Amino acid sequence: MAASKQTNRTEALILDYLNTNTEHAIMITAPWGSGKTYFLKHTIFNNINDTGYRGIVVSLFGVRTIDEIKERILIELYPILENKLIKVGALAASAIAKVVDIAKLITPANWVPINLDNADTGKLKKAAAELVELKKLLICFDDLERVNPDLLKATEILGYINSLVEEENIKILVVANQDKIDDEKFKEIKEKVIGNTIHFTQEFDEVLSAITAEVGYPTSKFQDLIDDNKYAIKAMLEQENGGHVNYRTLKYFLSHFQKIAHYIQSNRDKAIVKIKDDLLKKVLDFCLVVCIEFKTGRIAYKANGGMDDLSNAVIRMMFEDKTAKNRADEIVDQYYGGKYDGYHYYSNLYNYLTGGDVFLEDELYNEIIKQYNIVDGNLDEHYVVFRSLGFQEVNKMSDDEYIIQTKRLLHFLRAGNFHLRDFITIFYFLTRFGNPLELDPEDLKEEMISILKSNATRYNYQPMLHQYTKLDDNLSDYKYYAALRNVMIEINDQNAENDQKLADENIADLLQNNFEDCFSYFTSDTEPSLAKKSLSAVSPEIFYDVFLKQTNTNKLNMSILLGIVFGAGKGNDEPKDLKFLKDLKILVENHIASNKPKNVSGNLFSELLRYVTKAIERISPYAQI
């Protein structure tokens, strides 16, 4: 990679410092993650060989004493020492560091690279002669701002550096983010020790290309994708670090995103091929946002801060509502310019990027199918039209194209093609921009309500519909939207009730006829359901009768199942659940009172009672009968 003007300037300043007789240190300062240390190790250290200097980086992160610094210097010196006795000798680094000042330590005559007890004078002289000339050593003290605060406040560390540069003319380069150092005494002393402060910057395009080429096995398609989106990537990264790019975050993103991009770019599914460009952009943006938020500590695996809560999306997109923002709204404003249709949350990608899971192609594919309404491997044309009228795409259309697509949207609406959740958005799309189709709002509302009711049983239950369609009663045309919303919620609630009835009937059938399948239904992740899955679907009497008829093994498993179903995080803590448990407890207590436990079966009733009692204690604070 060719060096930029900025890095050439930095390199020239460092070389000038090395070739000049000085009694001061120099400093490189830049925000965290800007690539300072990487630049030193991979550019400066490679290019100063002609001067005879060798460079080492000594991190000051967490250092509490000067002796600790000496120990770290010794550790960094090992790789560049060429004395064979060093390589085979028993050097007690820690002990020597505590008794020999660093200024003397790098004087060959005082360096003892072998066990002192076994050394003879000849070997010591030979050792000194074979040592690298350590006077030509560039010591780079990294992470100055992360040293123990007491060393900074007492200016002890600057005094130590000053003794090295003044007394021994040792070349010292301090690497820091000086904006993070607030101590006034330190700033005062710093001016006497640091002769020149270099403000380090790099050309983003060049660093991006270099990192992209180094990550895994990048294909030309991947490199082109990153290059095509480099300005958007830079703009997002600058949100993390006060306008500066954190290259550690960039590298983390690229190393993880490459695998995801390769899956999408190499996918031959005909529906995905059609949406590939749009999908890649949405996935790239989402992955980068997650990496930034994760690296700054604002999110973690199983703690996404509400990034998936898009309940405000519709009202904010359509009506510029001023409702209090949740974290998803803040993400959209900060990284997407307030455009919700550019943001999509991918569960598996989030887990993968935050270290909680591996990248699972099947899970991403299932999320893509739902996102783009792919049915039987085909894109639904009505949703292609719907997306084309979204807030990101519509402004790219000509007026004629907009009229054509809006008419097609109306056609597909009348054919009953859309999901329940989309009706408010569709009404808005049809009547915005001055209502170019000249539709009567009242007639359109009544027609859409008729369409809703005639297709009611076809709609899937939407658990977030109440939140997703909330409205501000100060909106213009509120009465039309509110009327649509009321019908949508009525249909959704009825479908939820129907789904729950079917689920309850299934649970009752499994419990009474095949307990093994019933146990699997409640405990397997392969049985997704939006309906509530609770043993309160059956009466306490049915559960009790089934328990009586089971083998001892299944009796034990029924108790375990009860503990699982009413465990923490299952959501089975409603009044119906508590009543089921309390009534079951009475049945079990009466059985035990009438049949004193004398065998394994009797003991298993006591075990069931223990599980029931524990479940009641857990859910009682949340459920009231």
Side-chain angles (χ1 to χ4, degrees):
M1 180 183 74
S4 66
K5 291 181 179 179
Q6 287 90 337
T7 53
N8 273 333
R9 171 183 169 274
T10 300
E11 183 178 346
L13 289 169
I14 293 173
L15 288 172
D16 181 69
Y17 171 67
L18 295 179
N19 292 322
T20 304
N21 187 22
T22 61
E23 293 184 353
H24 63 261
I26 60 173
M27 175 185 282
I28 289 182
T29 182
W32 290 331
S34 59
K36 305 182 294 293
T37 307
Y38 184 92
F39 173 72
L40 286 175
K41 290 182 175 180
H42 294 85
T43 300
I44 295 300
F45 288 1
N46 290 336
N47 294 342
I48 63 174
N49 288 333
D50 292 343
T51 68
Y53 276 90
R54 306 290 292 273
I56 62 172
V57 175
V58 179
S59 175
L60 300 177
F61 194 112
V63 164
R64 294 179 176 274
T65 66
I66 299 302
D67 281 341
E68 285 184 51
I69 298 175
K70 296 176 183 178
E71 290 178 2
R72 294 190 183 190
I73 292 174
L74 280 169
I75 293 170
E76 297 301 328
L77 281 174
Y78 279 127
I80 68 169
L81 293 173
E82 298 177 4
N83 188 322
K84 294 179 181 179
L85 293 174
I86 292 266
K87 295 177 181 177
V88 300
L91 175 63
S94 178
I96 293 177
K98 290 190 180 338
V99 298
V100 181
D101 184 83
I102 183 61
K104 296 179 180 178
L105 176 64
I106 65 170
T107 302
N110 290 328
W111 181 268
V112 184
I114 57 174
N115 190 306
L116 291 174
D117 295 334
N118 299 321
D120 59 41
T121 304
K123 284 186 177 180
L124 288 177
K125 289 181 178 179
K126 184 176 184 294
E130 291 182 357
L131 270 173
V132 175
E133 187 182 356
L134 295 180
K135 274 288 196 168
K136 299 213 100 178
L137 180 69
L138 172 63
I139 303 177
C140 303
F141 288 121
D142 198 5
D143 300 313
L144 178 65
E145 70 281 4
R146 291 172 170 172
V147 75
N148 183 275
D150 292 338
L151 280 181
L152 282 177
K153 289 178 181 178
T155 66
E156 184 177 356
I157 193 164
L158 285 186
Y160 174 64
I161 293 173
N162 189 55
S163 70
L164 299 181
V165 296
E166 282 196 353
E167 297 172 15
E168 299 296 330
N169 194 25
I170 298 169
K171 299 297 184 180
I172 303 293
L173 193 157
V174 178
V175 184
N177 179 359
Q178 68 174 1
D179 291 340
K180 298 295 182 181
I181 303 175
D182 297 324
D183 188 76
E184 291 301 322
K185 184 67 174 176
F186 170 83
K187 292 178 181 178
E188 178 185 337
I189 302 297
K190 172 224 170 188
E191 299 305 320
K192 302 176 182 178
V193 179
I194 307 296
N196 186 19
T197 298
I198 304 169
H199 293 268
F200 178 75
T201 59
Q202 298 190 82
E203 288 288 351
F204 177 78
D205 292 12
E206 296 172 0
V207 180
L208 176 65
S209 297
I211 296 176
T212 302
E214 293 174 359
V215 172
Y217 301 95
T219 63
S220 58
K221 287 184 179 179
F222 177 72
Q223 290 176 311
D224 289 344
L225 172 66
I226 297 303
D227 187 63
D228 290 344
N229 288 275
K230 62 186 175 184
Y231 298 117
I233 291 171
K234 183 173 185 285
M236 279 192 171
L237 285 166
E238 288 175 340
Q239 296 292 322
E240 172 189 1
N241 205 16
H244 300 281
V245 172
N246 188 322
Y247 289 103
R248 284 192 288 269
T249 300
L250 174 61
K251 190 170 185 178
Y252 183 85
F253 158 70
L254 290 172
S255 64
H256 285 74
F257 177 64
Q258 182 198 2
K259 184 184 296 186
I260 301 165
H262 177 71
Y263 165 70
I264 297 172
Q265 290 178 320
S266 61
N267 198 301
R268 295 177 181 238
D269 185 293
K270 61 181 181 181
I272 290 183
V273 169
K274 290 181 180 179
I275 59 167
K276 189 170 291 184
D277 291 342
D278 182 71
L279 176 61
L280 279 168
K281 175 59 176 168
K282 284 185 170 62
V283 170
L284 183 152
D285 288 348
F286 176 76
C287 290
L288 183 54
V289 168
V290 171
C291 289
I292 292 170
E293 294 289 301
F294 179 57
K295 284 299 186 179
T296 53
R298 288 190 285 265
I299 60 173
Y301 175 55
K302 291 191 175 180
N304 69 11
M307 284 182 64
D308 58 341
D309 180 6
L310 288 166
S311 58
N312 293 332
V314 171
I315 193 169
R316 283 186 172 275
M317 279 193 292
M318 292 164 37
F319 310 114
E320 297 183 359
D321 180 70
K322 303 303 180 185
T323 303
K325 297 178 184 178
N326 60 31
R327 185 57 187 145
D329 300 326
E330 293 171 350
I331 291 288
V332 171
D333 285 350
Q334 181 177 357
Y335 295 103
Y336 293 83
K339 305 298 183 184
Y340 282 86
D341 47 351
Y343 178 60
H344 189 84
Y345 184 90
Y346 302 89
S347 297
N348 177 247
L349 297 187
Y350 179 91
N351 294 341
Y352 168 58
L353 295 167
T354 55
D357 204 348
V358 296
F359 169 51
L360 299 173
E361 295 179 355
D362 289 345
E363 288 198 16
L364 177 59
Y365 182 73
N366 289 334
E367 292 190 74
I368 293 169
I369 287 176
K370 293 178 182 177
Q371 176 188 358
Y372 287 91
N373 299 283
I374 297 172
V375 179
D376 298 327
N378 296 302
L379 281 171
D380 281 344
E381 184 62 23
H382 48 283
Y383 272 105
V384 174
V385 172
F386 181 83
R387 281 192 298 275
S388 75
L389 292 167
F391 299 90
Q392 279 195 324
E393 300 300 321
V394 70
N395 290 322
K396 301 175 185 177
M397 289 183 181
S398 69
D399 291 343
D400 289 342
E401 287 174 327
Y402 176 71
I403 294 294
I404 291 170
Q405 290 297 78
T406 304
K407 286 181 178 179
R408 294 184 71 199
L409 181 73
L410 182 60
H411 166 75
F412 286 127
L413 168 69
R414 287 169 172 165
N417 292 127
F418 291 105
H419 294 310
L420 181 65
R421 66 175 182 265
D422 298 318
F423 273 68
I424 288 177
T425 306
I426 290 170
F427 186 94
Y428 174 77
F429 283 175
L430 290 171
T431 58
R432 68 182 169 182
F433 301 156
N435 193 2
L437 299 186
E438 297 182 352
L439 299 168
D440 181 88
E442 181 66 28
D443 291 344
L444 179 61
K445 177 206 73 176
E446 291 299 324
E447 182 179 7
M448 292 182 72
I449 288 175
S450 176
I451 293 168
L452 281 166
K453 290 181 177 179
S454 62
N455 291 281
T457 57
R458 294 177 49 239
Y459 298 127
N460 292 324
Y461 169 61
Q462 304 289 322
M464 292 289 290
L465 190 67
H466 281 74
Q467 295 91 328
Y468 185 72
T469 59
K470 61 187 177 184
L471 299 167
D472 184 339
D473 57 12
N474 292 317
L475 295 172
S476 62
D477 292 336
Y478 170 77
K479 63 179 182 179
Y480 306 122
Y481 294 114
L484 286 171
R485 182 178 188 269
N486 290 339
V487 175
M488 291 164 63
I489 289 175
E490 180 183 336
I491 291 171
N492 199 51
D493 290 346
Q494 183 60 54
N495 287 343
E497 186 177 324
N498 294 340
D499 289 351
Q500 189 62 58
K501 183 178 179 181
L502 290 173
D504 289 352
E505 290 173 355
N506 183 47
I507 290 170
D509 179 66
L510 289 172
L511 181 66
Q512 294 177 85
N513 298 306
N514 193 327
F515 174 72
E516 286 79 8
D517 285 352
C518 181
F519 191 92
S520 176
Y521 172 79
F522 278 103
T523 58
S524 173
D525 292 333
T526 61
E527 295 283 353
S529 174
L530 292 176
K532 177 183 171 70
K533 294 167 65 172
S534 175
L535 289 170
S536 62
V538 302
S539 69
E541 291 77 14
I542 289 177
F543 185 92
Y544 174 78
D545 288 341
V546 171
F547 189 87
L548 282 172
K549 298 173 185 177
Q550 295 300 312
T551 64
N552 284 348
T553 298
N554 278 354
K555 282 186 172 70
L556 176 60
N557 286 335
M558 285 186 73
S559 296
I560 293 171
L561 179 62
L562 188 141
I564 292 172
V565 170
F566 296 104
K570 295 297 183 181
N572 293 322
D573 49 16
E574 297 179 0
K576 180 182 177 182
D577 299 307
L578 185 58
K579 187 177 188 308
F580 167 83
L581 290 168
K582 287 186 172 181
D583 291 348
L584 179 60
K585 183 180 180 184
I586 292 171
L587 291 172
V588 176
E589 287 175 335
N590 289 341
H591 177 91
I592 293 173
S594 302
N595 305 273
K596 299 296 182 184
K598 297 179 180 179
N599 49 30
V600 174
S601 296
N603 184 66
L604 287 171
F605 271 91
S606 298
E607 189 71 4
L608 175 61
L609 179 62
R610 185 176 71 84
Y611 273 95
V612 172
T613 302
K614 187 174 181 180
I616 290 172
E617 291 173 352
R618 196 199 68 76
I619 75 170
S620 288
Y622 310 101
Q624 295 182 357
I625 296 176

